[in-house]
Amino acid sequence: MKYESQSIAKLYFIAAIGLFVGQILFGVILGLQYVIGDFLFPEIPFNVARMVHTNLLIVWLLFGFMGAAYFLVPEESERELYAPWLAKLMFWIFLVAGALTILGYLLVPYATLAEITMNDLLPTMGREFLEQPTITKIGIVVVLLAFIFNIGMTILTGRKTVITLVLLTGLVGLAVFFLFSFYNPHNLVLDKYFWWFVVHLWVEGVWELIMASLLAYVLIKVTGVDREVIEKWLYIIIAMALISGIIGTGHHFFWIGAPDYWQWLGSVFSALEPIPFFMMTLFAFNVVNKRRRDHPNKAATLWALGTAVMAFLGAGVWGFLHTLAPVNFYTHGTQITAAHGHMAFYGAYVMVVLTIISYSMPIMRGREAANARAQVVEMWSFWLMTVSMVFITLFLTGAGILQVYLQRYSEDPMSFMATQEKVEIFYWMREGAGLIFLIGLILYIISFFVKGEDVKMLGSSVSIEETS
Amino acid sequence: MKSVKTDELQIKRASDAALASLLNLTILPVISFIALLLIHRKTQADTIDHYHAVLGVKINVIAAVVLFLVSALMILLGGFDSPWTWVYVISYFTIVHTIFIVFALWALVRAWSGDRLWS
Ligand code: HEM
Ligand code: HEM
Ligand SMILES: [Fe+2]
């Protein structure tokens, strides 16, 4: 590690992994409630568990992005972080606010939570992914602003690289689009517009910039390929992401009461959205193929390649599957959507955060890479989580196809609940795959504690300084 | 192992072949396959461009068989009007198709660097 202040990332990563465990525990609870309806009722109702599952996901990914930025920016900018104390302070504020919010979800009824947090002064609660009480949302904005100020000042007063500028653009976009969550119009169509301006423009817009820059950073480090090559790729990828993703928001406007032309605009532009993901795969493959060194951190390289492929699969392929209006007419809001949501979030954002953790954690613990045995355990966890996520996706896709057919396509459609009974077998199998995912995650955590001999970079002309 | 020294033109042609193969699997089927066959005719045995042209033809022929023939069989055996047929066909087609695309992507990257698939 070159700069002292990079080690702040460790705090953020530990919190991220802790919350990740919580997210998956609630995922497994949800999966069981799908087949045993009154499991844990009334202590943890399905809607509450779902809210905890998705909110923990978003919060730990934010911890991950922030940790990634705190690790990468000082090194890229060739200076210490502008205000390390601020980064530490914000960490605790974010952690406490996050924990209190989750406890609020679990301990009091949602309506009571709205009341005691004075939601009626500025009502923002009640929408999927954005369920946080208004004061929590304000807290998130404060943390994000302090974070961007800190990162921004470090970048602007230090060496500027394409990677840090793309990252900063993505992070500013993340904060700006979150502001739409404060606008909560009575008109439901308008409300949906603004809701998607947060959710869609995050995952299919600015987060892609964050993802591409993190991936590029790790790939430069583990392959030793020239910056110039990587920067060209970055430009094309982010251009394609924004060109397709912004108007691509229209794929959510098909059936919400928006004008008809969105069916064309949304279909055509969102059909282009797989391109940036496709290019990230091409980019990662190309850079690894042209690598000029064999970095001892094999696990990080595996995560980087895995991210590229799985993001293409989950976002690109499974997104395209239901993005054309005539298809979405049938699949809208079915298990197909859940299948895509799981693989896209995992493949793109979960995996890119795990990639940077895999690369940076050993360095923050004073070595170039984890020891060989620890890496083997980590790679096992990679395969267990990734393969079980593929199966979760396949089972939900199966459930979704059956659901569409029975409930929406057939000559005499079945009711929603009658259909759910027909697809129960898939829910059982999803739960099985979910348990394997949990085992993979436990193994992942164990990998940090496995002892063994250090591995060193072999036969390389590049000094250790360059890589750590 | 490269048996013949590769020059720029061969790498260019190998890259074109690999790209045609990838396009045939994705947004420009049939036309790209014809282009691939045309590239194949220009190449000579034991060169990298020949290798990638042949590889591309192989990938695409195998993909066509594995995707269309097997899917057709599934539909024939399962019945067009059975929901379960479509559960299998759509899941199968999507995942296997993607595997071919990712494979062709790797082939393209290898062609760019003038290499065979594994060396
Ligand atoms: C990493 C990137 C992506 C992530 C994390 C992601 C995640 C999600 C999630 C969670 C939903 C469900 C939202 C809800 O609760 O209703 C969703 C819906 C959707 N996504 Fe994505 N997505 C990504 C990329 C894409 C791409 C590239 C496409 C198109 C090619 C796409 C197409 C769609 C469509 C059409 C829907 C609406 C489904 C419906 O009508 O129910 N997504 N996405
Ligand atoms: C890193 C892994 C995971 C990610 C990124 C993830 C992400 C998500 C997302 C984005 C949603 C909202 C879906 C939508 O709006 O369509 C969701 C819902 C859900 N997840 Fe997960 N999840 C993960 C793991 C799991 C696991 C292991 C299970 C259980 C076996 C699970 C079970 C569920 C269930 C049952 C829902 C509710 C679906 C519904 O409302 O119908 N998740 N998850
Ligand atoms: Fe979207």
Side-chain angles (χ1 to χ4, degrees):
Chain A
M1 204 171 56
K2 275 191 195 148
Y3 299 94
E4 200 63 42
S5 49
Q6 284 180 282
S7 65
I8 290 173
K10 205 165 155 186
L11 277 180
Y12 282 80
F13 289 156
I14 292 171
I17 296 171
L19 298 172
F20 183 19
V21 175
Q23 184 223 332
I24 298 308
L25 286 176
F26 277 88
V28 174
I29 292 174
L30 282 168
L32 201 55
Q33 289 178 333
Y34 244 85
V35 280
I36 305 178
D38 55 4
F39 177 67
L40 287 184
F41 190 82
E43 285 76 23
I44 309 180
F46 178 84
N47 62 317
V48 172
R50 190 186 198 283
M51 190 159 69
V52 173
H53 179 64
T54 53
N55 281 236
L56 279 175
L57 169 69
I58 304 296
V59 170
W60 85 257
L61 290 179
L62 290 180
F63 268 111
F65 291 164
M66 290 195 230
Y70 285 133
F71 182 82
L72 160 175
V73 165
E75 190 171 315
E76 287 284 296
S77 308
E78 296 181 335
R79 55 156 293 169
E80 293 286 352
L81 206 57
Y82 186 76
W85 63 270
L86 187 61
K88 275 188 205 143
L89 179 68
M90 287 303 136
F91 169 80
W92 290 108
I93 293 181
F94 197 36
L95 190 66
V96 171
L100 283 178
T101 304
I102 300 295
L103 285 178
Y105 291 160
L106 288 169
L107 297 180
V108 297
Y110 193 66
T112 315
L113 184 64
E115 218 170 285
I116 55 183
T117 57
M118 293 183 286
N119 184 58
D120 49 344
L121 292 182
L122 176 59
T124 67
M125 291 174 73
R127 291 166 297 169
E128 194 196 357
F129 299 116
L130 307 178
E131 292 98 342
Q132 310 82 19
T134 304
I135 43 169
T136 306
K137 288 201 184 78
I138 295 173
I140 294 177
V141 172
V142 169
V143 170
L144 283 177
L145 285 181
F147 161 69
I148 286 172
F149 168 75
N150 209 349
I151 290 293
M153 288 306 284
T154 315
I155 291 175
L156 298 178
T157 58
R159 179 179 73 146
K160 295 168 197 64
T161 66
V162 175
I163 290 186
T164 51
L165 293 177
V166 171
L167 179 67
L168 186 62
T169 314
L171 293 168
V172 170
L174 183 155
V176 168
F177 289 132
F178 186 66
L179 296 178
F180 287 126
S181 74
F182 287 91
Y183 183 53
N184 195 1
H186 285 291
N187 179 320
L188 264 185
V189 181
L190 277 183
D191 173 58
K192 281 285 172 195
Y193 274 143
F194 284 90
W195 183 73
W196 284 117
F197 290 164
V198 185
V199 178
H200 171 99
L201 290 179
W202 266 8
V203 301
E204 289 153 75
V206 288
W207 285 27
E208 280 180 64
L209 308 198
I210 300 173
M211 174 186 172
S213 61
L214 298 186
L215 210 53
Y217 171 80
V218 173
L219 284 170
I220 287 184
K221 295 293 169 178
V222 296
T223 66
V225 167
D226 281 347
R227 237 167 225 285
E228 290 70 42
V229 179
I230 287 184
E231 289 171 351
K232 278 192 200 108
W233 279 96
L234 260 185
Y235 284 130
I236 310 177
I237 289 171
I238 60 173
M240 285 314 302
L242 296 177
I243 291 169
S244 63
I246 295 175
I247 303 184
T249 320
H251 65 182
H252 302 294
F253 298 165
F254 298 158
W255 331 112
I256 62 169
D260 282 354
Y261 54 76
W262 281 114
Q263 297 196 4
W264 281 100
L265 281 178
S267 297
V268 171
F269 279 86
S270 71
L272 302 175
E273 282 182 32
I275 295 175
F277 291 100
F278 182 83
M279 295 196 52
M280 274 192 253
T281 314
L282 196 55
F283 160 64
F285 278 8
N286 187 35
V287 171
V288 170
N289 185 41
K290 293 215 171 103
R291 70 187 174 277
R292 302 214 318 238
R293 60 165 91 113
D294 277 312
H295 196 278
N297 196 339
K298 298 272 179 288
T301 315
L302 180 64
W303 279 111
L305 286 175
T307 306
V309 172
M310 292 299 291
F312 171 58
L313 202 64
V317 177
W318 252 262
F320 183 76
L321 199 62
H322 63 163
T323 206
L324 301 176
V327 177
N328 192 267
F329 179 73
Y330 290 103
T331 61
H332 180 56
T334 60
Q335 297 295 333
I336 304 270
T337 308
H340 155 70
H342 275 86
M343 188 146 42
F345 255 115
Y346 174 76
Y349 303 119
V350 168
M351 287 185 83
V352 80
V353 168
L354 297 186
T355 301
I356 186 113
I357 294 181
S358 176
Y359 171 74
S360 64
M361 245 345 195
I363 295 171
M364 287 188 281
R365 298 166 85 197
R367 37 185 122 65
E368 248 193 298
N371 66 69
R373 283 176 59 217
Q375 284 197 45
V376 170
V377 177
E378 189 182 341
M379 291 197 231
W380 264 96
S381 79
F382 168 95
W383 287 110
L384 281 175
M385 288 195 275
T386 304
V387 171
S388 60
M389 186 46 81
V390 169
F391 276 96
I392 289 180
T393 307
L394 282 174
F395 295 147
L396 290 178
T397 306
I401 297 168
L402 209 53
Q403 180 186 11
V404 166
Y405 198 105
L406 299 176
Q407 191 185 316
R408 296 186 174 170
Y409 185 78
S410 104
E411 300 264 303
D412 51 335
M414 285 182 170
S415 75
F416 177 83
M417 284 315 283
T419 311
Q420 291 301 310
E421 237 164 67
K422 294 278 183 205
V423 302
E424 200 186 344
I425 177 76
F426 286 110
Y427 297 143
W428 277 111
M429 294 193 291
R430 180 262 302 268
E431 182 66 353
L435 286 171
I436 296 186
F437 191 100
L438 181 61
I439 294 173
L441 178 56
I442 294 169
L443 220 53
Y444 176 71
I445 292 166
I446 292 176
S447 78
F448 288 96
F449 301 99
V450 174
K451 300 251 176 320
E453 264 178 49
D454 275 6
V455 275
K456 285 260 155 48
M457 172 117 48
L458 292 172
S460 164
S461 55
V462 192
S463 71
I464 306 291
E465 266 299 279
E466 256 293 298
T467 56
S468 55
Chain B
M1 292 290 108
K2 292 171 207 161
S3 44
V4 175
K5 197 176 164 290
T6 53
D7 59 34
E8 299 245 326
L9 180 73
Q10 284 178 344
I11 294 187
K12 170 91 177 55
R13 220 185 264 146
S15 309
D16 289 347
L19 184 65
S21 149
L22 183 61
L23 286 177
N24 191 54
L25 281 166
T26 49
I27 51 171
L28 212 65
V30 186
I31 300 177
S32 311
F33 195 69
I34 297 170
L36 178 58
L37 291 179
L38 292 177
I39 296 170
H40 179 260
R41 276 182 41 188
K42 285 194 225 151
T43 63
Q44 291 162 3
D46 273 344
T47 56
I48 190 70
D49 46 352
H50 185 72
Y51 173 86
H52 276 282
V54 172
L55 180 69
V57 173
K58 275 191 199 155
I59 295 178
N60 278 280
V61 170
I62 296 173
V65 172
V66 168
L67 289 172
F68 293 116
L69 202 73
V70 174
S71 299
L73 276 176
M74 283 177 169
I75 296 172
L76 271 176
L77 296 177
F80 193 84
D81 290 325
S82 158
W84 282 95
T85 303
W86 298 104
V87 168
Y88 288 118
V89 171
I90 297 173
S91 312
Y92 168 83
F93 192 94
T94 312
I95 197 92
V96 176
H97 190 196
T98 311
I99 292 171
F100 278 106
I101 294 174
V102 172
F103 188 75
L105 265 170
W106 181 249
L108 175 62
V109 158
R110 295 297 285 177
W112 282 349
S113 60
D115 291 307
R116 300 180 172 221
L117 266 189
W118 328 107
S119 61

